[in-house]
Coordinates of all heavy atoms in Angstrom, one line a residue:
Q401 N 8.7 22.0 26.1 CA 7.6 22.2 25.1 C 7.6 21.1 24.0 O 6.5 20.7 23.5 CB 8.0 23.6 24.4 CG 7.7 24.8 25.3 CD 8.1 26.1 24.7 OE1 9.2 26.2 24.2 NE2 7.2 27.1 24.8
L402 N 8.8 20.7 23.6 CA 8.9 19.7 22.6 C 8.4 18.3 23.0 O 7.8 17.6 22.3 CB 10.4 19.4 22.2 CG 11.0 20.7 21.5 CD1 12.5 20.4 21.3 CD2 10.3 20.9 20.1
Q403 N 8.5 18.0 24.3 CA 7.9 16.8 24.8 C 6.4 16.8 24.8 O 5.8 15.8 24.3 CB 8.4 16.6 26.3 CG 9.8 16.1 26.4 CD 10.2 16.2 27.9 OE1 10.0 17.1 28.7 NE2 10.9 15.1 28.3
T404 N 5.8 17.9 25.0 CA 4.3 18.1 25.0 C 3.9 18.0 23.5 O 2.9 17.4 23.2 CB 3.9 19.4 25.6 OG1 4.4 19.4 27.0 CG2 2.4 19.6 25.5
R405 N 4.6 18.8 22.6 CA 4.2 18.8 21.2 C 4.3 17.5 20.5 O 3.6 17.1 19.7 CB 4.9 20.0 20.6 CG 4.5 21.3 21.1 CD 5.4 22.5 20.6 NE 5.2 23.7 21.2 CZ 5.8 24.8 21.0 NH1 6.7 24.9 20.1 NH2 5.4 25.9 21.7
V406 N 5.5 16.7 20.9 CA 5.6 15.4 20.2 C 4.6 14.5 20.6 O 4.1 13.6 19.8 CB 7.0 14.8 20.6 CG1 7.2 13.4 20.3 CG2 8.2 15.6 19.9
D407 N 4.2 14.6 21.9 CA 3.0 13.6 22.4 C 1.8 14.0 21.6 O 0.9 13.1 21.4 CB 2.8 14.0 23.9 CG 1.8 13.0 24.4 OD1 2.1 11.8 24.5 OD2 0.7 13.4 24.9
Q408 N 1.7 15.2 21.1 CA 0.3 15.7 20.4 C 0.5 15.5 18.9 O -0.5 15.9 18.2 CB 0.0 17.1 20.9 CG -0.3 17.2 22.3 CD -0.4 18.7 22.7 OE1 -0.1 19.6 22.0 NE2 -0.9 18.9 24.0
L409 N 1.6 15.0 18.4 CA 1.8 15.0 16.9 C 0.7 14.2 16.3 O 0.4 13.1 16.7 CB 3.2 14.3 16.6 CG 4.4 15.2 16.8 CD1 5.6 14.3 16.5 CD2 4.4 16.4 15.8
P410 N 0.1 14.7 15.3 CA -0.9 13.9 14.5 C -0.2 13.0 13.5 O 1.0 13.2 13.2 CB -1.6 15.1 13.6 CG -0.6 16.1 13.4 CD 0.3 16.1 14.7
Y411 N -0.9 12.1 13.0 CA -0.3 11.1 12.0 C 0.1 12.0 10.8 O -0.7 12.9 10.4 CB -1.2 10.0 11.6 CG -1.5 9.0 12.7 CD1 -2.6 8.8 13.3 CD2 -0.3 8.1 13.1 CE1 -2.8 7.8 14.3 CE2 -0.5 7.2 14.1 CZ -1.7 7.0 14.7 OH -1.9 6.1 15.6
V412 N 1.1 11.6 10.1 CA 1.3 12.2 8.7 C 0.5 11.3 7.9 O 0.6 10.2 7.8 CB 2.8 12.1 8.4 CG1 3.1 12.7 7.0 CG2 3.7 12.9 9.5
E413 N -0.3 12.0 7.0 CA -1.3 11.3 6.2 C -0.6 10.3 5.3 O 0.4 10.5 4.6 CB -2.0 12.2 5.3 CG -3.2 11.6 4.5 CD -4.0 12.7 3.8 OE1 -3.5 13.9 3.6 OE2 -5.1 12.4 3.4
H414 N -1.1 9.0 5.3 CA -0.7 7.9 4.5 C 0.8 7.5 4.7 O 1.5 6.9 3.9 CB -0.7 8.2 3.0 CG -2.2 8.6 2.6 ND1 -3.2 7.8 2.7 CD2 -2.7 9.8 2.0 CE1 -4.3 8.4 2.3 NE2 -4.0 9.6 1.8
R415 N 1.4 7.9 5.9 CA 2.6 7.4 6.3 C 2.7 6.7 7.6 O 2.6 7.4 8.6 CB 3.6 8.6 6.2 CG 4.0 9.0 4.8 CD 4.7 10.3 4.8 NE 5.3 10.6 3.5 CZ 4.5 11.2 2.6 NH1 3.4 11.7 2.9 NH2 5.0 11.5 1.4

Side-chain angles (χ1 to χ4, degrees):
Q401 289 175 311
L402 292 174
Q403 286 171 314
T404 301
R405 293 172 188 178
V406 168
D407 185 65
Q408 298 170 351
L409 281 176
Y411 288 113
V412 179
E413 190 177 17
H414 304 302
R415 287 174 171 85

